[in-house]
Structure formats: C-alpha cells, structure tokens
C-alpha cells in the first residue's frame, strides 16, 4: 500500500509539513490529559498497566523506558475513555525500529469495554501504518466520524512480521469539551426568562463546540 494512505480515507503527514513550533505541537497533542487513565484498558499487554504509559506528553515521546509490548500474539487493544467529549483530528503512533512496529491500526468510537471478539465488526476507520521512530507521522482521522467521541478503541491488528508488537507512544490531537459544564449552562439559560441571557450563552466558546 502506498505511503500515507489509509483504508476508508485519511492519511499521514510529517511534523515538518505542519510547520508548527515544538511548543505548539506539544499543545496540539494534549488530549492525553483528557483520558480517564484509571479506567483505560490495554488488552493483551505483556506487563499489566504498561499500556497506560504510552499516553504521555509529546515532548516525552522519545522516552523509551515506557512502552507496551503484546503478550500472546501481535495484537493490542486499547480502550480509552475520555473525561468529556472529543473531536479527534489526528493520531501519532511510535514503535521500534524492527518488525514489532505496528503496521495496521483500526479505530472504533463509543464502544466501551471492547473485547477482541468485538473487533470483528467494521471499524470507523483503518490505517495502514509506516514505521515511525520519532513521532513525526500523523494519521488524520475523518473528523465527521470522530466529532463526538467519549470513548475510543484502538486495535493494533498487525505488525511487520514479529511475534509481538511494541508501542512507545500514542499521541491524540483534537478538541475536548467538558460535558457537565455544557449541561449546566444549557439548563441555566433555559430557566431564565431574560432574552438577553439567551443571547449571551449563544456566543460563548463553549456553546460553539457542541456538536
């Protein structure tokens, strides 16, 4: 398959093409702060809890002391609950410079507690991956499909031929919305009889991000 192409649309691009300073790049990939790490699951990890360690700051992506390796075979399944609603725009995935690097990634939205049996269903998007040792390749999601995500499952279905798969970093780029705050805001202005209040809430940035 040609470089940067994915099944079902999307593709990858390098950091240089984004033409952003490292500080901005780090901010862009701040969605790891919006993951409910206590409830995050990684199925088929060889060391319990190691899957959580790959969701870290972008500037720490080259820290190779934290990684996850698959156990029984080459597959890994991450169940990632967010603390609000996410509009997912891009993903970076870093591996080892050998055949243990993931070669295919399948994304599913809003299916909590996914199992490997559930991966038989059609994914929302599938990517054919290239080796990325520095965290420079971004895979762009179909934003129309990932504009209202409270739970993301990442299925690493294949690698380049090794018995196990190793991942050092997964970066998530997008926008996050705090659900509870929106619900309170909406209730407040609906309970108010003042038309001016209604207009004020319509132009708040928070309301802008409701999809």
């Amino acid at each position: 398959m040609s470089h940067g192409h994915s099944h079902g649309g999307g593709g990858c691009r390098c950091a240089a093409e984004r033409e952003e300073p490292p500080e901005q790049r780090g901010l862009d990939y701040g969605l790891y702060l919006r993951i409910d790490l206590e409830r995050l699951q990684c199925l088929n990890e060889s060391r319990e809890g190691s899957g959580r360690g790959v969701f870290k700051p972008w500037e720490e992506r080259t820290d190779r002391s934290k990684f996850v390796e698959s156990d029984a075979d080459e597959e890994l399944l991450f169940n990632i609950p967010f603390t609000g609603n996410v509009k997912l725009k891009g993903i970076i995935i870093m591996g080892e410079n050998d055949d243990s690097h993931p070669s295919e990634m399948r994304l599913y939205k809003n299916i909590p507690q996914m199992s490997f049996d559930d991966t038989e269903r059609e994914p929302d998007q599938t990517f054919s991956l290239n080796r990325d040792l520095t965290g420079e390749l971004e895979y762009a999601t179909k934003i129309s499909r990932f504009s209202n995500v409270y739970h993301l499952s990442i299925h690493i279905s294949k690698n380049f031929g090794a018995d196990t798969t190793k991942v050092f970093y997964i970066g998530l780029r997008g926008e996050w919305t705090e659900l509870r705050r929106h619900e309170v805001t909406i209730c407040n202005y609906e309970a108010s009889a003042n038309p001016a209040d209604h207009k004020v809430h319509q132009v708040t940035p928070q309301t802008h991000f409701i999809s």
Side-chain angles (χ1 to χ4, degrees):
M1 182 161 295
S2 61
H3 174 87
H5 284 193
S6 66
H7 308 290
C12 69
R13 51 183 177 170
C14 70
E17 292 173 357
R18 289 175 58 81
E19 295 182 350
E20 292 179 342
E23 297 81 7
Q24 183 60 45
R25 184 89 163 150
L27 289 173
D28 285 348
Y29 276 85
L31 277 184
Y32 72 95
L33 293 169
R34 307 305 186 181
I35 296 173
D36 186 348
L37 284 176
E38 292 299 315
R39 296 194 299 123
L40 186 147
Q41 294 179 321
C42 180
L43 305 187
N44 197 37
E45 57 186 359
S46 60
R47 183 166 51 88
E48 185 175 355
S50 58
R52 296 173 184 168
V54 303
F55 297 92
K56 51 193 173 185
W58 185 77
E59 54 271 16
E60 296 178 14
R61 70 197 184 284
T62 55
D63 176 6
R64 303 182 82 78
S65 66
K66 293 181 179 180
F67 63 90
V68 61
E69 186 171 7
S70 63
D71 188 16
D73 55 25
E74 76 278 13
E75 294 186 67
L76 287 166
L77 178 60
F78 296 89
N79 282 316
I80 308 162
F82 294 106
T83 58
N85 257 359
V86 164
K87 179 186 289 185
L88 185 66
K89 297 180 177 181
I91 297 182
I92 288 175
I93 184 161
M94 279 178 57
E96 189 65 276
N97 188 22
D98 59 24
D99 288 345
S100 71
H101 193 294
S103 65
E104 185 176 81
M105 172 175 65
R106 308 166 85 227
L107 303 182
Y108 300 84
K109 69 174 183 180
N110 301 340
I111 311 175
Q113 307 294 322
M114 266 194 77
S115 68
F116 282 108
D117 289 339
D118 295 322
T119 62
E120 297 297 323
R121 68 178 69 188
E122 186 72 20
D124 290 290
Q125 195 166 359
T126 302
F127 294 95
S128 179
L129 305 179
N130 297 286
R131 286 184 175 88
D132 183 6
L133 313 180
T134 59
E136 298 297 319
L137 294 179
E138 177 189 280
Y139 298 89
T141 62
K142 286 186 173 181
I143 298 178
S144 61
R145 292 189 183 182
F146 294 94
S147 62
N148 193 23
V149 180
Y150 61 84
H151 184 282
L152 177 69
S153 296
I154 301 176
H155 179 212
I156 306 299
S157 51
K158 300 176 184 177
N159 61 25
F160 286 93
D163 292 335
T164 60
T165 296
K166 190 178 288 188
V167 175
F168 288 92
Y169 171 74
I170 295 178
L172 304 174
R173 183 174 68 86
E175 298 171 6
W176 175 83
T177 304
E178 187 175 2
L179 292 177
R180 186 177 300 278
R181 183 175 297 169
H182 288 300
E183 291 166 359
V184 171
T185 300
I186 291 169
C187 289
N188 283 346
Y189 86 70
E190 286 183 347
S192 173
N194 187 343
D197 287 346
H198 189 90
K199 293 177 182 177
V200 169
H201 283 287
Q202 282 185 322
V203 297
T204 59
Q206 293 173 343
T207 306
H208 175 74
F209 289 111
I210 297 177
S211 58

